[in-house]
């Protein structure tokens, strides 16, 4: 009897974990879509039978993690609770926020913090200069590693790994396929300088300088200053490079281990 109970307990745990994984798959599909999706499309992208996707969505909707309208399903308001908790308790963010404010004041540019995630980078927080950029990337936006501040992160990988990632990237709705050799050359310059420089890479008329943050031997974050191209002339990039490196070092030293 005891052996049978242990067997069924194991099966229950396995089933529960699989259900949790499927629910996360559905949430990730909605997160990446950036627009409402129909049930059948969610099921297709998540690799699930339609009835299974429908049951998962019903549970998520009942807990306000998913919302539904005539256009389809989209992320729900309750997802912001977890985001708020992360933003107010994460050690990296707690340390970086005052550093970014000082950096924005000193440079007159917008200072941002990025974290690497699944071969992309995520906007975690920012501090604005007096002159704000016209476009605003929301916190949580996922961006490529081969453009802008992402190069400061991608440059930390060896050339073979960086090439493999670049060659896996094709044309997308937002970005053209990268020029692999040109990006690799840019990454080599970034390693040599200790910071990346970008002009008109993600948005026309915008320039940025960024440096990777050393986090106890694991570089998975970066700090960036960005502004209009006239605010970041080439003659200024070396000085800005030193500023972002100092900020990155200050953040890395202050983040507690573990």
């Amino acid at each position: 009897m005891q052996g049978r109970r242990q067997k069924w307990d194991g099966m229950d745990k396995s089933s529960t974990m699989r259900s949790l994984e499927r629910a996360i798959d559905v949430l990730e599909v909605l997160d990446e879509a950036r627009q409402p999706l129909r049930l059948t499309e969610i099921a297709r992208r998540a690799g699930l039978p339609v009835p299974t996707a429908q049951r998962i969505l019903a549970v998520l909707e009942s807990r306000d993690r998913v919302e539904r309208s005539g256009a389809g399903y989209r992320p729900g308001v309750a997802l912001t609770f977890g985001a708020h908790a992360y933003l107010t308790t994460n050690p990296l963010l707690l340390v970086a926020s005052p550093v970014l404010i000082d950096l924005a004041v000193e440079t007159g540019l917008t200072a941002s913090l990025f974290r690497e995630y699944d071969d992309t980078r995520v906007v975690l927080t920012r501090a604005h200069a007096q002159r704000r950029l016209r476009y605003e990337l929301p916190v949580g936006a996922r961006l490529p590693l081969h453009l802008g501040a992402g190069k400061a992160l991608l440059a930390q990988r060896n050339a073979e790994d960086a090439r493999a990632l670049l060659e896996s990237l094709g044309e997308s709705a937002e970005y053209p396929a990268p020029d692999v050799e040109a990006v690799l050359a840019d990454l080599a310059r970034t390693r040599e300088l200790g910071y990346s420089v970008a002009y008109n890479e993600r948005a026309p008329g915008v320039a940025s300088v960024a440096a990777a943050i050393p986090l106890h031997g694991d570089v998975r974050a970066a700090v960036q200053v960005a502004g209009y191209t006239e605010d970041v002339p080439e003659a200024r990039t070396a000085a800005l490079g030193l500023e972002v490196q100092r900020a990155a070092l200050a953040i890395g030293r202050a983040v507690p281990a573990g």
Side-chain angles (χ1 to χ4, degrees):
M1 184 65 141
Q2 184 177 0
R4 181 178 296 179
R5 183 179 296 127
Q6 289 175 344
K7 178 180 178 181
W8 281 106
D9 284 347
M11 291 180 67
D12 289 343
K13 290 177 182 176
S14 176
S15 177
T16 299
M17 291 303 296
R18 183 60 184 142
S19 296
L20 177 59
E21 289 175 348
R22 287 174 169 176
I24 293 173
D25 288 343
V26 168
L27 289 173
E28 288 184 342
V29 164
L30 292 174
D31 174 59
E32 293 173 1
R34 302 184 184 181
Q35 62 182 357
L37 294 177
R38 300 290 186 183
L39 169 61
T40 53
E41 181 61 16
I42 294 170
R44 185 187 69 80
R45 296 190 187 190
L48 296 171
V50 171
T52 300
Q54 188 171 34
R55 287 194 297 270
I56 292 170
L57 287 165
V59 173
L60 293 173
E61 186 179 5
S62 72
R63 303 296 291 270
D64 293 322
R65 264 63 183 179
V66 163
E67 297 175 352
R68 179 171 44 164
S69 67
Y73 294 90
R74 60 178 181 268
V77 65
L79 292 179
T80 62
F81 306 151
H84 179 264
Y86 177 80
L87 295 174
T88 55
T89 63
N90 181 266
L92 173 61
L93 283 161
L94 295 176
V95 166
S97 292
V99 176
L100 292 179
I101 292 171
D102 289 343
L103 185 60
V105 170
E106 291 170 4
T107 63
L109 304 172
T110 297
S112 302
L113 176 71
F114 297 90
R115 183 75 187 245
E116 186 177 339
Y117 176 77
D118 194 24
D119 289 338
T120 65
R121 58 187 167 103
V122 182
V123 184
L124 293 186
T125 188
R126 64 169 50 85
H128 293 287
Q130 188 171 4
R131 185 186 184 194
R132 295 176 63 146
L133 294 170
R134 285 189 297 270
Y135 79 99
E136 187 81 6
L137 282 171
V139 169
R142 292 175 63 174
L143 306 169
L145 286 179
H146 68 286
L147 299 174
K151 294 184 296 186
L153 292 168
L154 189 56
Q156 305 308 308
R157 304 188 186 186
N158 62 51
E160 292 76 16
D161 289 346
R163 178 183 291 276
L165 173 60
L166 293 169
E167 290 177 347
S168 72
L169 300 175
E171 192 87 14
S172 72
E174 296 179 87
Y175 308 108
D179 182 330
V180 174
E181 299 305 326
V183 176
L184 288 174
D186 202 350
L187 295 179
R189 287 193 295 272
T190 297
R191 295 187 194 98
E192 180 180 354
L193 294 172
Y195 57 88
S196 64
V197 178
Y199 283 91
N200 305 303
E201 290 190 358
R202 283 207 58 263
V206 175
S208 68
V209 179
I213 300 172
L215 296 173
H216 308 289
D218 181 24
V219 179
R220 291 179 58 82
V223 61
Q224 171 196 266
V225 289
Y228 297 110
T229 51
E230 61 264 29
D231 299 323
V232 190
E234 290 188 16
R236 192 187 179 194
T237 56
L240 290 174
L242 288 176
E243 291 287 350
V244 294
Q245 284 179 297
R246 290 193 188 104
L249 185 60
I251 294 169
R253 285 176 172 172
V255 175

